[in-house]
Amino acid sequence: MAIGLPEFVENPENRCPVILLLDTSGSMLGQPIQELNRGLAAFKEDVLKDAQASLSVEVAIVTFGSVVRLIQDFVTIDQFTAPRLEADGVTPMGEAIEYALDLLENRKQTYKDNGILYYRPWVFLITDGAPTDFWQGAAQRVREAEESSRLSFFTVAVQDADMNKLRQIAPPQRPPMMLNGLDFRSLFVWLSTSMKRVSSGKVGEAVALPPVGWGQITT
């Protein structure tokens, strides 16, 4: 009989994977990146209040600025330390999305290899700009994955983000949301509350998400 990875032997709970795909380009310098860092800390703090969610929710962080970086590979929230992100460079959003989708597929395979059930993964893109690289292929992959229920892709626009490009990247059924100011804390508390609801349900079951008070859809 195959022996599973230690992390799954010690914690065989169903997993709820979420990738935070974060813009750390130069335009995020100053207050935007500071508020984003505070939001990440609030996310950990809030998920930890729920015993089930702290064992089930797995977070990975991919940033894109000067380069695309895996800042945090998948860990459960109890093992997660909120990073201190710094802003620099351009916006290789297309490459970052492709990287995140590959990372997610690899993680799903790891779950399957270890007999771990998982909820539909979330990918959360947060950006204040527009891609500076080729992004059309990434957008196509996002839409195909969403249509086949392989993931839920959320797009959050900050301040001067290019909404026209983001609408082309986001799945039609989940258009980009414009963040209210720099209220990252409310965004991440909403994400935490959503993860708690998902992780308390059954795998494959539809869950009603809390109202979005942190942003709005703009036409």
Side-chain angles (χ1 to χ4, degrees):
M1 180 174 160
I3 298 175
L5 292 174
E7 62 184 300
F8 300 121
V9 173
E10 295 166 7
N11 174 13
E13 295 291 334
N14 299 340
R15 293 307 203 268
C16 185
V18 55
I19 295 182
L20 302 177
L21 192 48
L22 307 178
D23 185 344
T24 56
S25 60
S27 56
M28 288 286 287
L29 193 64
Q31 191 179 4
I33 202 76
Q34 292 171 15
E35 294 300 331
L36 178 56
N37 282 322
R38 290 190 186 104
L40 290 170
F43 178 60
K44 170 174 180 166
E45 181 185 321
D46 202 66
V47 176
L48 277 177
K49 294 174 183 175
D50 186 294
Q52 180 61 49
S54 64
L55 293 173
S56 292
V57 176
E58 282 195 345
V59 62
I61 297 178
V62 175
T63 62
F64 52 102
S66 296
V67 294
V68 174
R69 285 195 180 96
L70 177 62
I71 296 292
Q72 173 65 67
D73 206 345
F74 282 107
V75 288
T76 48
I77 287 292
D78 58 334
Q79 302 293 317
F80 173 66
T81 300
R84 295 296 299 175
L85 302 177
E86 296 181 358
D88 182 41
V90 290
T91 316
M93 193 185 301
E95 180 189 347
I97 292 171
E98 298 261 15
Y99 183 95
L101 296 179
D102 291 343
L103 181 70
L104 183 55
E105 288 305 311
N106 289 337
R107 190 57 175 171
K108 286 158 67 174
Q109 188 59 52
T110 300
Y111 294 149
K112 293 170 186 172
D113 292 344
N114 286 271
I116 296 294
L117 296 177
Y118 60 90
Y119 302 93
R120 185 187 299 185
W122 284 26
V123 178
F124 228 82
L125 169 67
I126 300 176
T127 178
D128 73 336
T132 51
D133 61 351
F134 179 76
W135 55 270
Q136 288 84 352
Q140 183 65 27
R141 284 185 66 185
V142 165
R143 288 168 180 240
E144 289 173 356
E146 178 85 49
E147 285 169 10
S148 57
S149 301
R150 297 201 305 273
L151 55 75
S152 296
F153 194 93
F154 296 81
T155 310
V156 180
V158 182
Q159 293 181 331
D160 298 323
D162 186 332
M163 294 299 287
N164 182 46
K165 290 264 178 66
L166 294 182
R167 285 190 196 98
Q168 296 176 66
I169 292 171
Q173 64 270 43
R174 195 174 286 114
M177 300 285 294
M178 176 62 77
L179 183 68
N180 293 331
L182 293 173
D183 193 7
F184 288 107
R185 180 178 176 82
S186 292
L187 164 63
F188 280 107
V189 170
W190 177 88
L191 178 58
S192 169
T193 304
S194 300
M195 292 293 99
K196 291 174 190 175
R197 290 192 184 184
V198 170
S199 62
S200 65
K202 295 178 181 176
V203 171
E205 188 177 64
V207 175
L209 298 180
V212 175
W214 48 265
Q216 56 206 316
I217 296 174
T218 59
T219 56

